[in-house]
Coordinates of all heavy atoms in Angstrom, one line a residue:
M1 N 41.2 -14.3 -34.7 CA 41.2 -14.1 -33.3 C 42.6 -13.4 -32.8 O 42.7 -12.5 -32.1 CB 40.9 -15.2 -32.5 CG 40.9 -14.9 -30.9 SD 40.2 -16.3 -30.0 CE 41.6 -17.5 -30.1
N2 N 43.7 -14.2 -33.2 CA 45.0 -13.8 -32.8 C 45.4 -12.4 -33.3 O 46.0 -11.6 -32.7 CB 46.1 -14.7 -33.2 CG 46.1 -16.1 -32.5 OD1 45.5 -16.0 -31.3 ND2 46.4 -17.1 -33.0
L3 N 44.9 -12.1 -34.6 CA 45.2 -10.8 -35.2 C 44.5 -9.7 -34.5 O 45.2 -8.8 -34.1 CB 44.8 -10.7 -36.7 CG 45.0 -9.4 -37.4 CD1 46.4 -9.0 -37.4 CD2 44.4 -9.5 -38.7
L4 N 43.2 -9.9 -34.1 CA 42.5 -8.9 -33.3 C 43.2 -8.6 -31.9 O 43.4 -7.4 -31.5 CB 41.1 -9.2 -33.2 CG 40.3 -9.2 -34.5 CD1 38.8 -9.7 -34.2 CD2 40.2 -7.8 -35.1
N5 N 43.7 -9.7 -31.3 CA 44.2 -9.6 -30.0 C 45.6 -8.8 -30.1 O 45.9 -8.0 -29.3 CB 44.6 -10.9 -29.4 CG 43.5 -11.3 -28.3 OD1 43.1 -10.6 -27.5 ND2 43.1 -12.6 -28.3
S6 N 46.3 -9.2 -31.2 CA 47.6 -8.6 -31.4 C 47.5 -7.1 -31.7 O 48.3 -6.3 -31.2 CB 48.3 -9.2 -32.6 OG 48.6 -10.5 -32.3
L7 N 46.4 -6.7 -32.5 CA 46.1 -5.4 -32.7 C 45.8 -4.6 -31.4 O 46.3 -3.4 -31.1 CB 45.0 -5.2 -33.7 CG 45.4 -5.5 -35.2 CD1 44.3 -5.5 -36.0 CD2 46.4 -4.4 -35.6
G8 N 45.0 -5.3 -30.6 CA 44.6 -4.8 -29.3 C 45.9 -4.4 -28.4 O 46.1 -3.4 -27.8
M9 N 46.8 -5.5 -28.4 CA 48.0 -5.3 -27.6 C 48.9 -4.2 -28.2 O 49.4 -3.4 -27.4 CB 48.8 -6.6 -27.6 CG 48.1 -7.7 -26.8 SD 47.8 -7.4 -25.1 CE 49.5 -7.3 -24.6
A10 N 49.0 -4.1 -29.5 CA 49.7 -3.0 -30.1 C 49.2 -1.6 -29.7 O 50.0 -0.7 -29.3 CB 49.9 -3.2 -31.7
Y11 N 48.0 -1.5 -29.9 CA 47.3 -0.2 -29.4 C 47.5 0.1 -27.9 O 47.8 1.2 -27.6 CB 45.7 -0.3 -29.7 CG 45.6 0.2 -31.1 CD1 44.9 -0.8 -32.0 CD2 45.8 1.4 -31.7 CE1 44.7 -0.5 -33.3 CE2 45.6 1.8 -33.1 CZ 44.9 0.8 -33.9 OH 44.8 1.0 -35.1
S12 N 47.4 -0.9 -27.1 CA 47.7 -0.7 -25.7 C 49.1 -0.3 -25.5 O 49.4 0.6 -24.7 CB 47.4 -2.2 -25.0 OG 47.8 -2.0 -23.6
D13 N 50.1 -0.9 -26.2 CA 51.5 -0.6 -26.1 C 51.8 0.8 -26.4 O 52.7 1.5 -25.9 CB 52.4 -1.5 -26.8 CG 52.5 -2.9 -26.2 OD1 52.0 -3.1 -25.1 OD2 52.9 -3.8 -26.9
M14 N 51.0 1.3 -27.4 CA 51.2 2.7 -27.9 C 50.4 3.7 -27.1 O 50.4 4.9 -27.3 CB 50.6 2.8 -29.4 CG 51.5 2.0 -30.4 SD 51.0 2.3 -32.1 CE 49.3 1.8 -32.2
G15 N 49.6 3.2 -26.1 CA 48.9 4.1 -25.2 C 47.6 4.6 -25.8 O 46.9 5.5 -25.2
D16 N 47.1 3.8 -26.8 CA 45.8 4.1 -27.4 C 44.7 3.3 -26.8 O 44.4 2.2 -27.3 CB 45.8 3.9 -29.0 CG 44.6 4.4 -29.7 OD1 43.5 4.6 -29.0 OD2 44.7 4.6 -30.8
D17 N 44.3 3.7 -25.6 CA 43.4 2.9 -24.8 C 42.1 2.5 -25.4 O 41.6 1.4 -25.4 CB 43.1 3.5 -23.4 CG 44.4 3.6 -22.6 OD1 45.3 2.8 -22.7 OD2 44.4 4.7 -21.9
E18 N 41.5 3.4 -26.1 CA 40.2 3.3 -26.8 C 40.2 2.3 -27.8 O 39.4 1.4 -27.8 CB 39.7 4.7 -27.3 CG 38.3 4.6 -28.0 CD 37.9 5.8 -28.5 OE1 38.4 7.0 -28.1 OE2 37.0 5.8 -29.4
N19 N 41.3 2.3 -28.7 CA 41.4 1.2 -29.8 C 41.7 -0.1 -29.1 O 41.2 -1.1 -29.6 CB 42.4 1.7 -30.8 CG 41.7 2.5 -31.9 OD1 40.5 2.4 -32.2 ND2 42.5 3.6 -32.2
A20 N 42.6 -0.1 -28.2 CA 42.8 -1.4 -27.4 C 41.6 -2.0 -26.9 O 41.4 -3.3 -27.2 CB 43.9 -1.2 -26.4
V21 N 40.8 -1.4 -26.1 CA 39.6 -1.9 -25.6 C 38.6 -2.3 -26.8 O 38.1 -3.4 -26.7 CB 38.8 -0.7 -24.7 CG1 37.5 -1.2 -24.5 CG2 39.6 -0.5 -23.5
N22 N 38.5 -1.6 -27.8 CA 37.7 -1.9 -28.9 C 38.1 -3.3 -29.6 O 37.2 -4.0 -29.9 CB 37.6 -0.8 -30.0 CG 36.8 0.5 -29.5 OD1 35.9 0.3 -28.6 ND2 37.1 1.6 -30.0
F23 N 39.4 -3.4 -29.7 CA 39.8 -4.6 -30.4 C 39.6 -5.9 -29.6 O 39.2 -7.0 -30.0 CB 41.2 -4.6 -30.9 CG 41.4 -4.0 -32.3 CD1 41.7 -2.7 -32.4 CD2 41.1 -4.7 -33.3 CE1 41.7 -2.0 -33.6 CE2 41.1 -4.1 -34.6 CZ 41.5 -2.8 -34.8
F24 N 39.8 -5.7 -28.2 CA 39.6 -6.8 -27.3 C 38.1 -7.1 -27.2 O 37.8 -8.3 -27.1 CB 40.1 -6.6 -25.9 CG 41.6 -6.3 -25.8 CD1 42.2 -5.3 -25.1 CD2 42.5 -7.1 -26.5 CE1 43.5 -5.2 -25.0 CE2 43.8 -7.0 -26.5 CZ 44.4 -6.0 -25.7
K25 N 37.3 -6.1 -27.2 CA 35.9 -6.5 -27.2 C 35.4 -7.1 -28.5 O 34.5 -8.0 -28.5 CB 35.0 -5.1 -27.0 CG 35.1 -4.5 -25.6 CD 34.2 -3.3 -25.6 CE 34.1 -2.8 -24.1 NZ 33.3 -1.6 -24.0
K26 N 36.0 -6.7 -29.7 CA 35.6 -7.4 -30.9 C 35.9 -8.8 -30.9 O 35.1 -9.7 -31.4 CB 36.4 -6.8 -32.2 CG 35.8 -5.4 -32.5 CD 36.7 -4.9 -33.8 CE 36.2 -3.5 -34.0 NZ 36.9 -2.9 -35.2
V27 N 37.1 -9.1 -30.2 CA 37.4 -10.6 -30.1 C 36.3 -11.2 -29.3 O 35.9 -12.4 -29.6 CB 38.7 -10.8 -29.5 CG1 39.1 -12.3 -29.3 CG2 39.9 -10.2 -30.3
L28 N 35.9 -10.7 -28.2 CA 34.9 -11.4 -27.4 C 33.6 -11.4 -28.0 O 32.8 -12.4 -27.7 CB 34.9 -10.7 -26.0 CG 36.1 -10.8 -25.2 CD1 36.0 -9.9 -23.9 CD2 36.2 -12.3 -24.7
Q29 N 33.3 -10.5 -28.8 CA 32.0 -10.6 -29.6 C 31.9 -11.8 -30.5 O 31.0 -12.5 -30.6 CB 31.7 -9.3 -30.5 CG 31.4 -8.2 -29.6 CD 31.3 -6.9 -30.5 OE1 31.7 -6.8 -31.7 NE2 30.8 -5.8 -29.9
H30 N 33.1 -12.1 -31.2 CA 33.2 -13.2 -32.1 C 33.6 -14.5 -31.5 O 33.2 -15.6 -31.9 CB 34.1 -12.9 -33.2 CG 33.7 -11.7 -34.0 ND1 32.6 -11.8 -34.9 CD2 34.2 -10.5 -34.1 CE1 32.4 -10.6 -35.4 NE2 33.3 -9.7 -35.0
Y31 N 34.4 -14.4 -30.5 CA 34.9 -15.6 -29.6 C 34.6 -15.5 -28.1 O 35.6 -15.1 -27.4 CB 36.4 -15.8 -29.9 CG 36.8 -15.9 -31.4 CD1 37.1 -14.8 -32.1 CD2 36.6 -17.1 -32.1 CE1 37.5 -14.9 -33.4 CE2 36.9 -17.2 -33.4 CZ 37.2 -16.0 -34.2 OH 37.6 -16.1 -35.5
P32 N 33.4 -15.7 -27.7 CA 33.1 -15.4 -26.3 C 33.8 -16.3 -25.4 O 33.8 -16.1 -24.1 CB 31.5 -15.6 -26.3 CG 31.2 -16.3 -27.5 CD 32.2 -16.0 -28.4
A33 N 34.4 -17.4 -25.9 CA 35.1 -18.2 -24.9 C 36.6 -18.0 -24.8 O 37.4 -18.8 -24.3 CB 34.8 -19.6 -25.3
S34 N 37.0 -16.8 -25.4 CA 38.5 -16.5 -25.5 C 39.0 -15.9 -24.1 O 38.9 -14.7 -23.9 CB 38.7 -15.5 -26.6 OG 40.1 -15.1 -26.6
V35 N 39.5 -16.8 -23.3 CA 40.0 -16.5 -22.0 C 41.1 -15.4 -22.1 O 41.1 -14.5 -21.3 CB 40.4 -17.6 -21.2 CG1 40.9 -17.3 -19.8 CG2 39.2 -18.6 -21.0
I36 N 41.9 -15.6 -23.1 CA 43.1 -14.6 -23.4 C 42.5 -13.1 -23.5 O 43.0 -12.2 -23.0 CB 43.9 -15.1 -24.5 CG1 44.6 -16.3 -24.3 CG2 44.8 -13.9 -24.9 CD1 45.3 -17.0 -25.4
S37 N 41.4 -13.1 -24.2 CA 40.8 -11.7 -24.5 C 40.2 -11.1 -23.3 O 40.3 -10.0 -23.1 CB 39.8 -11.8 -25.6 OG 40.5 -12.2 -26.8
Y38 N 39.6 -12.0 -22.5 CA 39.1 -11.5 -21.1 C 40.2 -10.9 -20.3 O 40.1 -9.9 -19.7 CB 38.3 -12.6 -20.3 CG 36.9 -12.9 -20.8 CD1 36.7 -14.1 -21.5 CD2 35.9 -12.0 -20.6 CE1 35.4 -14.4 -22.0 CE2 34.6 -12.3 -21.0 CZ 34.4 -13.5 -21.7 OH 33.1 -13.8 -22.2
N39 N 41.2 -11.7 -20.2 CA 42.5 -11.2 -19.5 C 43.0 -10.0 -20.1 O 43.4 -9.0 -19.3 CB 43.5 -12.4 -19.5 CG 44.6 -12.1 -18.6 OD1 44.3 -11.9 -17.3 ND2 45.8 -12.0 -19.0
N40 N 43.3 -9.9 -21.5 CA 43.7 -8.7 -22.1 C 42.8 -7.5 -21.8 O 43.5 -6.5 -21.5 CB 44.0 -8.9 -23.5 CG 45.1 -9.9 -23.9 OD1 45.9 -10.1 -23.0 ND2 45.1 -10.4 -25.1
L41 N 41.6 -7.6 -21.9 CA 40.7 -6.5 -21.7 C 40.7 -6.1 -20.2 O 40.7 -4.9 -19.8 CB 39.2 -7.0 -22.1 CG 38.2 -5.8 -22.0 CD1 38.6 -4.6 -22.7 CD2 36.9 -6.3 -22.5
G42 N 40.7 -7.1 -19.3 CA 40.8 -6.8 -17.9 C 42.1 -6.0 -17.5 O 42.1 -5.1 -16.9
R43 N 43.2 -6.5 -18.1 CA 44.6 -5.9 -17.9 C 44.5 -4.3 -18.5 O 45.1 -3.5 -17.8 CB 45.6 -6.6 -18.6 CG 45.9 -7.8 -17.8 CD 46.9 -8.6 -18.5 NE 48.2 -7.9 -18.9 CZ 49.0 -8.1 -19.8 NH1 48.7 -9.1 -20.7 NH2 50.1 -7.4 -20.1
Q44 N 43.9 -4.2 -19.6 CA 43.6 -2.9 -20.2 C 42.9 -1.9 -19.2 O 43.3 -0.8 -19.1 CB 43.0 -2.9 -21.6 CG 43.0 -1.6 -22.3 CD 44.4 -1.1 -22.6 OE1 45.2 -1.8 -22.9 NE2 44.5 0.3 -22.5
Y45 N 41.8 -2.4 -18.7 CA 41.1 -1.7 -17.8 C 41.8 -1.4 -16.5 O 41.7 -0.2 -15.9 CB 39.7 -2.4 -17.4 CG 38.6 -2.3 -18.6 CD1 37.8 -3.4 -18.8 CD2 38.4 -1.1 -19.1 CE1 36.9 -3.3 -19.7 CE2 37.3 -0.9 -20.1 CZ 36.6 -2.1 -20.4 OH 35.7 -2.0 -21.4
I46 N 42.7 -2.3 -16.1 CA 43.5 -2.0 -14.9 C 44.5 -0.9 -15.3 O 44.6 0.2 -14.6 CB 44.3 -3.3 -14.5 CG1 43.3 -4.2 -13.8 CG2 45.4 -2.8 -13.5 CD1 43.9 -5.6 -13.6
K47 N 45.0 -0.9 -16.5 CA 46.0 0.1 -17.0 C 45.3 1.5 -17.0 O 45.8 2.5 -16.6 CB 46.5 -0.3 -18.3 CG 47.5 0.6 -18.9 CD 47.9 0.2 -20.3 CE 48.7 1.1 -21.0 NZ 49.2 0.7 -22.3
M48 N 44.1 1.4 -17.4 CA 43.3 2.7 -17.4 C 42.7 3.1 -16.1 O 41.9 4.2 -16.0 CB 42.1 2.4 -18.4 CG 42.6 2.2 -19.8 SD 41.4 1.6 -20.9 CE 40.2 2.8 -20.9
E49 N 43.0 2.4 -15.1 CA 42.5 2.6 -13.7 C 40.9 2.6 -13.6 O 40.3 3.3 -12.8 CB 43.0 4.0 -13.2 CG 44.5 3.9 -13.0 CD 45.0 5.3 -12.4 OE1 44.3 6.2 -12.1 OE2 46.3 5.4 -12.2
E50 N 40.4 1.7 -14.5 CA 38.9 1.5 -14.4 C 38.7 0.1 -13.8 O 38.5 -0.9 -14.4 CB 38.3 1.5 -15.8 CG 38.4 2.9 -16.4 CD 37.8 3.1 -17.8 OE1 36.8 2.2 -18.1 OE2 38.1 3.9 -18.5
Y51 N 38.9 0.1 -12.5 CA 39.0 -1.2 -11.7 C 37.7 -2.0 -11.7 O 37.6 -3.2 -11.7 CB 39.6 -0.8 -10.3 CG 40.9 -0.2 -10.4 CD1 41.1 1.0 -9.8 CD2 42.0 -0.9 -11.0 CE1 42.2 1.7 -9.9 CE2 43.2 -0.2 -11.0 CZ 43.3 1.1 -10.5 OH 44.6 1.7 -10.6
D52 N 36.5 -1.3 -11.6 CA 35.2 -1.9 -11.5 C 35.1 -2.6 -12.8 O 34.5 -3.8 -12.9 CB 34.1 -1.0 -11.3 CG 34.1 -0.5 -9.8 OD1 34.5 -1.2 -8.9 OD2 33.7 0.7 -9.6
R53 N 35.4 -2.0 -13.9 CA 35.2 -2.8 -15.3 C 36.2 -3.8 -15.3 O 35.8 -5.0 -15.9 CB 35.5 -1.7 -16.4 CG 34.4 -0.8 -16.7 CD 34.6 0.1 -17.9 NE 33.5 0.8 -18.1 CZ 33.5 1.7 -19.2 NH1 34.5 1.8 -19.9 NH2 32.3 2.3 -19.5
A54 N 37.4 -3.8 -14.9 CA 38.4 -4.8 -14.9 C 37.8 -6.1 -14.1 O 37.9 -7.1 -14.6 CB 39.7 -4.4 -14.3
I55 N 37.3 -5.7 -12.9 CA 36.9 -6.8 -12.1 C 35.6 -7.5 -12.8 O 35.6 -8.7 -12.8 CB 36.4 -6.2 -10.7 CG1 37.6 -5.8 -9.9 CG2 35.6 -7.2 -9.9 CD1 37.4 -4.9 -8.7
E56 N 34.8 -6.8 -13.3 CA 33.6 -7.3 -14.0 C 34.1 -8.3 -15.1 O 33.6 -9.5 -15.3 CB 32.7 -6.3 -14.6 CG 31.5 -6.8 -15.3 CD 30.7 -5.7 -16.1 OE1 30.9 -4.5 -15.6 OE2 29.9 -6.0 -16.9
I57 N 35.0 -7.8 -16.0 CA 35.3 -8.6 -17.2 C 36.2 -9.8 -16.7 O 36.0 -10.9 -17.3 CB 36.1 -7.7 -18.2 CG1 35.9 -8.4 -19.6 CG2 37.5 -7.5 -17.9 CD1 34.5 -8.2 -20.2
L58 N 37.0 -9.7 -15.8 CA 37.9 -10.8 -15.3 C 37.0 -11.8 -14.6 O 37.2 -13.0 -14.8 CB 38.9 -10.3 -14.4 CG 40.0 -9.5 -15.0 CD1 40.8 -8.7 -14.1 CD2 40.9 -10.4 -16.0
E59 N 36.0 -11.4 -13.8 CA 35.0 -12.5 -13.3 C 34.2 -13.2 -14.4 O 34.0 -14.3 -14.3 CB 34.1 -11.7 -12.3 CG 34.8 -11.4 -11.0 CD 33.9 -10.6 -10.0 OE1 33.0 -10.0 -10.4 OE2 34.3 -10.6 -8.9
R60 N 33.9 -12.4 -15.5 CA 33.2 -13.1 -16.5 C 34.1 -14.2 -17.2 O 33.7 -15.3 -17.6 CB 32.8 -12.0 -17.6 CG 31.5 -11.3 -17.2 CD 31.0 -10.3 -18.1 NE 31.1 -10.6 -19.5 CZ 31.2 -9.6 -20.5 NH1 31.0 -8.4 -20.2 NH2 31.3 -10.1 -21.8
G61 N 35.5 -13.8 -17.3 CA 36.4 -14.7 -17.9 C 36.5 -15.9 -17.0 O 36.6 -17.1 -17.6
L62 N 36.4 -15.8 -15.8 CA 36.6 -17.0 -14.9 C 35.5 -17.9 -14.9 O 35.6 -19.1 -14.7 CB 36.8 -16.5 -13.4 CG 38.1 -16.0 -13.1 CD1 38.2 -15.2 -11.7 CD2 39.2 -17.1 -13.0
K63 N 34.3 -17.3 -15.4 CA 33.1 -18.2 -15.5 C 33.2 -19.1 -16.8 O 32.7 -20.1 -16.8 CB 31.7 -17.4 -15.6 CG 31.4 -16.7 -14.4 CD 30.1 -15.9 -14.4 CE 29.8 -15.2 -13.2 NZ 28.7 -14.2 -13.2
V64 N 34.0 -18.7 -17.7 CA 34.2 -19.4 -18.9 C 35.3 -20.5 -18.6 O 35.0 -21.6 -18.9 CB 34.9 -18.5 -20.1 CG1 35.3 -19.4 -21.3 CG2 33.9 -17.5 -20.5
R65 N 36.4 -20.1 -17.9 CA 37.4 -21.1 -17.5 C 38.2 -20.6 -16.3 O 38.6 -19.4 -16.6 CB 38.2 -21.5 -18.8 CG 39.2 -22.7 -18.4 CD 39.8 -23.2 -19.6 NE 40.7 -22.3 -20.3 CZ 40.6 -21.9 -21.6 NH1 39.6 -22.4 -22.3 NH2 41.4 -21.1 -22.1
D66 N 38.4 -21.3 -15.4 CA 39.2 -20.9 -14.3 C 40.7 -20.9 -14.7 O 41.3 -22.0 -14.8 CB 38.9 -21.8 -13.0 CG 39.6 -21.2 -11.8 OD1 40.4 -20.3 -11.8 OD2 39.1 -21.7 -10.7
E67 N 41.3 -19.8 -14.8 CA 42.7 -19.7 -15.2 C 43.5 -18.9 -14.2 O 43.0 -17.8 -13.7 CB 42.9 -18.9 -16.6 CG 42.3 -19.9 -17.7 CD 43.2 -21.2 -18.1 OE1 44.4 -21.0 -17.8 OE2 42.6 -22.1 -18.7
P68 N 44.8 -19.3 -13.9 CA 45.5 -18.5 -12.9 C 45.8 -17.1 -13.2 O 45.7 -16.1 -12.5 CB 46.9 -19.3 -12.8 CG 46.5 -20.7 -13.3 CD 45.4 -20.5 -14.3
H69 N 46.0 -16.8 -14.5 CA 46.3 -15.4 -14.9 C 45.0 -14.5 -14.8 O 45.2 -13.3 -14.5 CB 46.9 -15.3 -16.3 CG 46.0 -15.9 -17.4 ND1 46.1 -17.3 -17.6 CD2 45.2 -15.4 -18.2 CE1 45.3 -17.6 -18.6 NE2 44.7 -16.5 -19.0
L70 N 43.9 -15.1 -14.9 CA 42.6 -14.3 -14.6 C 42.5 -14.0 -13.1 O 42.2 -12.8 -12.7 CB 41.4 -15.0 -15.1 CG 41.3 -15.1 -16.6 CD1 40.1 -16.2 -17.0 CD2 40.9 -13.8 -17.3
R71 N 42.8 -15.0 -12.3 CA 42.7 -14.8 -10.9 C 43.8 -13.8 -10.4 O 43.4 -13.0 -9.6 CB 43.0 -16.1 -10.2 CG 41.8 -17.1 -10.3 CD 41.7 -18.1 -9.2 NE 40.4 -18.8 -9.3 CZ 39.3 -18.4 -8.9 NH1 39.2 -17.3 -8.2 NH2 38.3 -19.2 -9.0
Y72 N 45.0 -13.8 -11.0 CA 46.0 -12.9 -10.6 C 45.5 -11.5 -10.9 O 45.7 -10.6 -10.1 CB 47.3 -13.3 -11.3 CG 48.4 -12.2 -11.2 CD1 49.2 -12.1 -10.1 CD2 48.6 -11.2 -12.1 CE1 50.1 -11.2 -9.8 CE2 49.4 -10.3 -11.9 CZ 50.3 -10.2 -10.9 OH 51.2 -9.1 -10.6
N73 N 45.1 -11.2 -12.1 CA 44.7 -9.9 -12.5 C 43.4 -9.4 -11.8 O 43.3 -8.2 -11.5 CB 44.5 -9.8 -14.1 CG 45.8 -9.8 -14.7 OD1 46.8 -9.1 -14.3 ND2 46.1 -10.6 -15.8
L74 N 42.6 -10.3 -11.4 CA 41.4 -10.0 -10.6 C 41.8 -9.5 -9.2 O 41.4 -8.5 -8.8 CB 40.4 -11.1 -10.4 CG 39.2 -11.0 -9.7 CD1 38.4 -9.8 -10.2 CD2 38.4 -12.2 -9.6
A75 N 42.8 -10.2 -8.6 CA 43.3 -9.8 -7.4 C 44.0 -8.5 -7.5 O 43.9 -7.6 -6.5 CB 44.3 -10.9 -6.8
K76 N 44.8 -8.3 -8.5 CA 45.4 -7.0 -8.7 C 44.5 -5.8 -8.8 O 44.6 -4.8 -8.3 CB 46.2 -7.2 -10.0 CG 47.0 -5.8 -10.3 CD 48.0 -6.1 -11.5 CE 48.8 -4.9 -11.8 NZ 49.6 -5.0 -13.0
A77 N 43.4 -6.0 -9.6 CA 42.3 -5.0 -9.9 C 41.6 -4.6 -8.5 O 41.5 -3.6 -8.1 CB 41.3 -5.4 -10.9
K78 N 41.4 -5.7 -7.7 CA 40.7 -5.5 -6.5 C 41.7 -4.8 -5.5 O 41.3 -3.9 -4.7 CB 40.2 -6.8 -5.8 CG 39.0 -7.4 -6.6 CD 38.6 -8.7 -5.8 CE 37.3 -9.2 -6.5 NZ 36.9 -10.5 -5.9
A79 N 42.9 -5.1 -5.5 CA 43.9 -4.4 -4.6 C 44.1 -3.0 -5.0 O 44.1 -2.1 -4.2 CB 45.3 -5.2 -4.7
E80 N 44.2 -2.7 -6.3 CA 44.3 -1.4 -6.9 C 43.1 -0.6 -6.4 O 43.1 0.7 -6.1 CB 44.5 -1.3 -8.3 CG 46.0 -1.9 -8.6 CD 47.1 -1.0 -8.2 OE1 47.1 0.2 -8.1 OE2 48.1 -1.6 -7.8
K81 N 42.0 -1.1 -6.5 CA 40.6 -0.4 -6.3 C 40.6 0.0 -4.8 O 40.1 1.2 -4.5 CB 39.5 -1.3 -6.6 CG 38.1 -0.7 -6.3 CD 37.0 -1.6 -6.6 CE 35.7 -1.0 -6.2 NZ 34.5 -1.7 -6.4
T82 N 41.1 -0.8 -3.9 CA 41.1 -0.5 -2.5 C 42.1 0.7 -2.1 O 41.9 1.3 -1.2 CB 41.5 -1.6 -1.7 OG1 42.7 -2.1 -1.9 CG2 40.4 -2.7 -1.7
K83 N 43.1 0.9 -3.0 CA 44.1 1.9 -2.8 C 43.5 3.3 -3.1 O 44.0 4.3 -2.6 CB 45.3 1.7 -3.6 CG 46.1 0.6 -3.3 CD 47.4 0.5 -4.2 CE 48.3 -0.7 -4.0 NZ 49.4 -0.7 -4.9
K84 N 42.5 3.3 -4.0 CA 41.8 4.6 -4.4 C 40.9 5.2 -3.3 O 40.1 4.6 -2.7 CB 41.1 4.4 -5.8 CG 42.0 4.1 -6.9 CD 42.6 5.4 -7.4 CE 43.7 5.2 -8.4 NZ 44.2 6.3 -8.9

């Protein structure tokens, strides 16, 4: 799980959005309770300005476990969406 998340983060840092999303999704396929991966995928969607997807994935993460970083990024995605 950590390796896939790390690869997703590396691709995100390099600006390879498609591979970043794919790796975060792979983690969630195998570890559907990985709140970190919900957060990482949500942050990636925010970075890609895909706010509806970010909101959806972060809300799914909050159903797994209520975490402050998920709430923060959810609020950020909603705020950015209203700017558009």
Side-chain angles (χ1 to χ4, degrees):
M1 176 174 72
N2 288 335
L3 176 61
L4 293 175
N5 259 321
S6 294
L7 286 168
M9 293 300 293
Y11 279 116
S12 179
D13 290 344
M14 292 187 301
D16 188 341
D17 297 331
E18 184 178 338
N19 276 316
V21 166
N22 288 335
F23 275 100
F24 296 138
K25 284 182 174 181
K26 282 181 188 180
V27 177
L28 290 172
Q29 286 173 349
H30 298 288
Y31 303 96
S34 174
V35 177
I36 291 169
S37 297
Y38 283 107
N39 191 59
N40 288 343
L41 183 55
R43 288 176 52 209
Q44 183 65 36
Y45 282 137
I46 292 169
K47 181 179 175 185
M48 296 165 59
E49 297 182 357
E50 294 186 22
Y51 304 117
D52 288 330
R53 285 184 171 180
I55 291 166
E56 177 187 344
I57 205 73
L58 292 164
E59 286 177 342
R60 282 179 37 202
L62 284 166
K63 289 179 183 176
V64 173
R65 189 170 62 239
D66 192 344
E67 292 287 336
H69 54 279
L70 290 170
R71 289 204 171 277
Y72 171 82
N73 286 313
L74 179 59
K76 183 176 179 180
K78 288 180 176 181
E80 290 296 324
K81 181 181 175 180
T82 61
K83 289 181 184 178
K84 291 282 174 175

